[in-house]
Amino acid sequence: MQKIKQRWEIQKNWQMLFPILGTLLVLLTSYTISRSLLHAFGLNNTIFEWFFTIGITLLLHVILIKFFLWCFKKVENKWKVDYKWEMIAIFIVFAITGSLSGKLAGPLVHWIGLDSENVHSAVYWALRILLIFPIYQILLVFIGWLFGQYQFFWDFEKKMLKRMGLGAFFS
């Protein structure tokens, strides 16, 4: 435990929440992918179901953890954070925000009255994808605030919108 605290520069016990939450979310992602693969290979309700699920989940978990550690090294010098554990919180915020904005765009398009049944599918998907962008921007700052990373995400938002030519809103 002490090695983990030193590696991620954890000073207080509550900060252990982020490595634990990150590991659990990667495990959940690995399980979800393995269940999808189980269905894709038609191994449902067979004797191999649980062996396949557990084996692939553990394998994917190791691969994803190694991938995220590699990503941390790549962005370590780019992102200005005080402690390394904050990078885990930032990755979690990006994951939650991306997933949630994609999920919320569907009901929002439906609420507007544009379903795939009453408009062409190209129009439906174009609108849905266009709606993801503003939803993502708002959620990114809000969820970043919930995870204690408001300043990082506010600066990130301003930088991203300036690059897109929308910097006049922040002058």
Side-chain angles (χ1 to χ4, degrees):
M1 189 65 83
Q2 198 60 30
K3 275 182 147 179
I4 293 172
K5 285 185 173 185
Q6 284 177 337
R7 178 182 180 146
W8 295 104
E9 299 173 351
I10 294 173
Q11 284 80 35
K12 298 186 170 117
N13 287 335
W14 68 266
Q15 295 166 344
M16 279 297 292
L17 170 74
F18 295 108
I20 292 169
L21 184 60
T23 302
L24 289 175
L25 288 172
V26 171
L27 189 62
L28 177 65
T29 301
S30 302
Y31 175 75
T32 305
I33 293 170
S34 71
R35 292 301 291 182
S36 296
L37 290 174
L38 180 78
H39 295 297
F41 291 129
L43 296 173
N44 267 13
N45 302 321
T46 65
I47 195 163
F48 303 111
E49 180 175 5
W50 286 105
F51 296 114
F52 181 87
T53 302
I54 292 169
I56 297 298
T57 298
L58 293 176
L59 178 68
L60 282 173
H61 187 260
V62 170
I63 291 169
L64 287 174
I65 291 288
K66 288 183 181 281
F67 172 72
F68 290 128
L69 290 174
W70 175 79
C71 289
F72 287 144
K73 285 183 182 181
K74 290 290 185 186
V75 297
E76 190 171 23
N77 296 323
K78 282 184 171 185
W79 291 353
K80 305 295 185 240
V81 293
D82 296 329
Y83 304 104
K84 288 184 180 180
W85 63 265
E86 291 177 303
M87 290 194 325
I88 298 171
I90 291 168
F91 268 64
I92 292 171
V93 169
F94 277 125
I96 291 172
T97 304
S99 301
L100 192 57
S101 62
K103 289 285 186 187
L104 290 176
L108 190 58
V109 170
H110 176 72
W111 181 73
I112 293 171
L114 302 173
D115 288 325
S116 54
E117 291 90 33
N118 58 3
V119 295
H120 191 273
S121 63
V123 174
Y124 170 78
W125 283 105
L127 283 171
R128 187 169 173 168
I129 291 169
L130 285 173
L131 276 175
I132 289 174
F133 180 73
I135 294 170
Y136 183 82
Q137 305 311 312
I138 294 166
L139 286 177
L140 191 63
V141 175
F142 177 71
I143 294 173
W145 172 74
L146 288 177
F147 277 77
Q149 300 299 317
Y150 173 79
Q151 194 58 51
F152 175 85
F153 284 104
W154 181 243
D155 293 341
F156 184 85
E157 272 302 312
K158 290 189 291 189
K159 188 176 172 182
M160 181 172 56
L161 292 173
K162 282 178 184 175
R163 287 182 179 171
M164 297 176 72
L166 301 171
F169 295 111
F170 298 106
S171 336

